[in-house]
Amino acid sequence: MKERYCFCTSFTITSLSDFFLPSSQISFHSMGPRVVLLCSLFGVLLGQGIEQMSIEGCCKDGQSRGNDNEDCAALPLISESTTCRIVQEQCCVTVLEDNMCTTGINMAKDQGACDSLFTNTCEKKTTKATLEKALPCDHTLSVGYQCGLVSRACCVHGAADNQTTPTQKTELPNKDDTDENGDNSVLSDQCEGKCAHSCVGNHTCTCFKGYKLKPDGKSCEDINECLLGASNCRGGERCINTEGSFRCQREVSCGTGYELTDDNNCKDIDECETGIHNCGPEFECQNTQGSFRCSPKVKCGGGFIQDALGSCIDINECVSQTGPCQRGQICINTVGSYICQRNSVNCGRGYHLNEEGNRCVDIDECKDHDKVCTGHGCVNLIGSYRCECEAGYIFNSISRICEDINECRHYPGRLCAHKCENALGSYKCSCTTGFKLSVDGRNCDDLNECENNPCSQECANVYGSYQCYCRRGYQLSDIDGLTCEDIDECALPTGGHICSYRCHNTPGSFHCSCPAEGYTLSPNGRSCQDVDECVTGTHTCLVDQSCFNVQGGFKCLSFDCPSNYRRVERLARLQRSDTIRCVKSCQPNDVACVLDPMHSVSHTFISMPTFREFTTPEEIVFLRTSVPAYGGYHLSSYDVKFDIIEGNVENAFDIIKRVENGLYVGVVRQVKALIGPLTTVLKLSMRNLTTQGDSGQNIINVHVFVSEFWF
């Protein structure tokens, strides 16, 4: 009888539309399929010997376990029949699929998550059955709609084939086997050309291997073996789905010593053949799995050991082995081996052979004691001797001589106060620098080095040493520590600040000087004090001039008021805070003078040094006004504006406005350093502002005198 085979597998529906089918299909599928069974017909289930009731019992047991939601792939065996096990599992899967389909439809209506439905059985329900026995056709089994159709078709065609002459095994047609009209040549008129791949009779379509039948019962689509777990990819390989099949791609590298072949396997690399080994010329390469081994070309014989370079080194068996020779024998190493020789008569130390040469007798070493103990007493012993050593010596039993006793080492710190020096049979004491040995020859007394005048100036004796000192204005030499050298105070890092002007070094001291004119040395002998010529009367100003003292000199100043202005006061000597002021004084009926907005012209004076360090603005002049900054409603429209009109050399000055005691004040600041001697006149403008415009203007001329010096 011709053998037939039936292969069934399942896959998971991933689209929600697959849950809803036409009513004509629902009548065949009971609850509606959520899992479609793809059956590729390889033969018809034929045979005898299995009763209908036993198959129904197997199916009922599978349905019962499916209702209990058991794992259909691990059901307990109730029969030794292979057919019973297949029917039991398939009926269990069908019940689970119908129950899960109903649950999926309800969940889809409620718009719930469907992912949790496919965690139990759907993704792992694949059943492969190979039946070698001839079985009768049974169309009443609950194995699913699609698989039931194919099963019945297999039985029908299988029975027909059994009545004819046996032929070769039936194979599915290729996709390219079509006639001129494009229809599949295998399709019989039973399916009327409606099947996409092949027809198995009774208007039932089937698909090629690697494809599955779509819900319409005609079309075929590719099976994703990777998704269903139906691939045979090994560990470390990744499954890649292809049209109608799949392929396995290795993901894990083969590792060192292996290479990936075209058939996706790891092949050992023969490092010896490819020449990528690192064996030296004295070694030969032997390939191993994943690596190689370097074996020496020269094989060392017995009694030798091979080093890392392949050289043969002799083994000293007399050292490496324990007792290689018998008792009474001595071991002598040879190249590659060793020999054992019998011991001859050998007398130990202190003995010698008698005249017969068969016995060892004592040697009297004290017969020539001057050579043995070198001046010490000698006592002969059996097989040895000892020396009677003099004071300060001790007998060494190993070297057999009298050795000097190092008293300094045996009695450290107890013989001498400072240093102990060993001598033959005795010792002597000495003192460190700064001390002398006392009369007892052991202690040390302090030595007064200052008695010999070792210092160039002052000497102070200290215990064990001395210290040289220098008088004021001198320092001790770094070379000998004895000589005193003059200190150049003017050259010290702080020398620039010792004197205000100039520093003059003298032996052991220094003195300061000031500029020849305009300054005098202050009582502290370092600072330069300005001479006020205007006070001392040493100036040369005329009667109609005013004297203004500046740092390092004086200025004779004279001022005339403009026309229509009169001078408020005249001063013979001007102070820093003095101001010469000219106020407007119009003649009667002088309308132009009255309308002139300028109210006054003032002169003030300031003397400044040349700043050695200039870091922050220096406020030099304050222009006070009577304009309130926070007045009432009727005063809120008044304001003051300050400007520098002329004389701002190098833009070294600016003027800012601020409020003090509720009034506006103009502050003239020096914002940049100026190098003197320099004279300039800052012409300042102070304008009173109202909502109607300027209500008046005052001109202030600030005479700035910058000194040449910083003091």
Side-chain angles (χ1 to χ4, degrees), residues 495-504 510-513 525-526 710:
H497 300 283
I498 294 178
C499 299
S500 297
Y501 183 54
R502 287 180 183 171
C503 177
H504 305 275
F510 69 96
H511 71 272
C512 300
S513 64
R526 297 186 179 186
W710 63 272

Side-chain angles (χ1 to χ4, degrees), residues 533-555:
E533 293 84 357
C534 299
V535 175
T536 60
T538 57
H539 63 85
T540 58
C541 297
L542 301 177
V543 178
D544 59 345
Q545 292 179 327
S546 298
C547 178
F548 179 70
N549 183 64
V550 297
Q551 291 176 279
F554 63 93
K555 296 292 181 181

Side-chain angles (χ1 to χ4, degrees), residues 134-152:
L135 302 177
C137 296
D138 187 357
H139 305 310
T140 63
L141 296 178
S142 177
V143 293
Y145 173 71
Q146 292 292 343
C147 197
L149 292 178
V150 175
S151 176
R152 287 192 293 271

Side-chain angles (χ1 to χ4, degrees), residues 149-221:
L149 292 178
V150 175
S151 176
R152 287 192 293 271
C154 290
C155 286
V156 171
H157 286 275
D161 292 340
N162 289 337
Q163 297 174 2
T164 59
T165 303
T167 60
Q168 297 295 327
K169 183 182 293 185
T170 305
E171 294 184 357
L172 297 177
N174 293 327
K175 300 178 183 180
D176 298 333
D177 296 337
T178 56
D179 56 15
E180 295 179 356
N181 298 328
D183 295 334
N184 196 309
S185 59
V186 183
L187 298 178
S188 64
D189 55 354
Q190 292 180 350
C191 297
E192 299 177 355
K194 296 180 181 180
C195 296
H197 283 188
S198 62
C199 176
V200 296
N202 197 20
H203 298 282
T204 301
C205 298
T206 187
C207 298
F208 298 148
K209 182 179 180 181
Y211 293 87
K212 62 183 177 181
L213 198 64
K214 288 187 177 181
D216 59 6
K218 304 174 183 178
S219 304
C220 296
E221 61 181 353

Side-chain angles (χ1 to χ4, degrees), residues 451-668:
E451 293 178 352
N452 298 324
N453 297 322
C455 302
S456 63
Q457 288 188 0
E458 304 294 336
C459 177
N461 183 61
V462 295
Y463 185 75
S465 183
Y466 66 97
Q467 180 65 50
C468 294
Y469 294 95
C470 297
R471 301 184 187 97
R472 185 176 181 180
Y474 294 88
Q475 62 183 359
L476 202 62
S477 172
D478 295 333
I479 299 175
D480 57 10
L482 304 174
T483 307
C484 292
E485 300 174 347
D486 174 55
I487 299 174
D488 188 354
E489 293 84 358
C490 301
L492 294 175
T494 59
H497 300 283
I498 294 178
C499 299
S500 297
Y501 183 54
R502 287 180 183 171
C503 177
H504 305 275
N505 185 58
T506 59
S509 184
F510 69 96
H511 71 272
C512 300
S513 64
C514 294
E517 297 180 356
Y519 291 94
T520 182
L521 194 63
S522 62
N524 62 13
R526 297 186 179 186
S527 303
C528 291
Q529 189 173 1
D530 176 56
V531 177
D532 192 344
E533 293 84 357
C534 299
V535 175
T536 60
T538 57
H539 63 85
T540 58
C541 297
L542 301 177
V543 178
D544 59 345
Q545 292 179 327
S546 298
C547 178
F548 179 70
N549 183 64
V550 297
Q551 291 176 279
F554 63 93
K555 296 292 181 181
C556 296
L557 305 175
S558 61
F559 303 97
D560 294 327
C561 293
S563 58
N564 294 326
Y565 288 83
R566 64 180 177 83
R567 186 168 176 175
V568 174
E569 59 182 347
R570 180 181 297 274
L571 300 174
R573 184 171 64 89
L574 297 174
Q575 301 289 340
R576 178 184 175 91
S577 60
D578 290 342
T579 301
I580 298 176
R581 191 162 178 250
C582 297
V583 297
K584 186 166 63 174
S585 178
C586 298
Q587 299 295 327
N589 300 325
D590 190 347
V591 178
C593 177
V594 174
L595 297 177
D596 186 1
M598 188 180 301
H599 290 168
S600 66
V601 178
S602 302
H603 297 270
T604 188
F605 318 94
I606 184 170
S607 176
M608 299 188 306
T610 295
F611 290 104
R612 292 197 296 183
E613 295 179 358
F614 193 88
T615 57
T616 59
E618 185 76 15
E619 298 179 352
I620 58 175
V621 177
F622 295 83
L623 305 179
R624 304 189 182 278
T625 69
S626 59
V627 178
Y630 311 106
Y633 177 79
H634 62 287
L635 297 176
S636 61
S637 60
Y638 287 91
D639 196 3
V640 180
K641 184 177 182 182
F642 301 96
D643 290 309
I644 300 177
I645 302 175
E646 297 177 1
N648 195 357
V649 179
E650 299 181 7
N651 291 323
F653 302 93
D654 69 356
I655 185 170
I656 62 174
K657 182 174 68 174
R658 69 185 182 204
V659 177
E660 290 185 3
N661 299 325
L663 301 177
Y664 286 121
V665 176
V667 181
V668 180

Side-chain angles (χ1 to χ4, degrees), residues 349 369-379 385-406 423-425:
R349 184 176 180 180
H369 67 276
D370 290 336
K371 294 182 179 179
V372 176
C373 293
T374 60
H376 299 274
C378 180
V379 177
Y385 69 95
R386 64 180 176 85
C387 296
E388 294 288 344
C389 300
E390 297 180 358
Y393 292 88
I394 189 172
F395 180 70
N396 190 328
S397 59
I398 298 177
S399 61
R400 302 285 180 176
I401 60 175
C402 289
E403 296 179 345
D404 174 57
I405 298 175
N406 191 337
L424 288 176

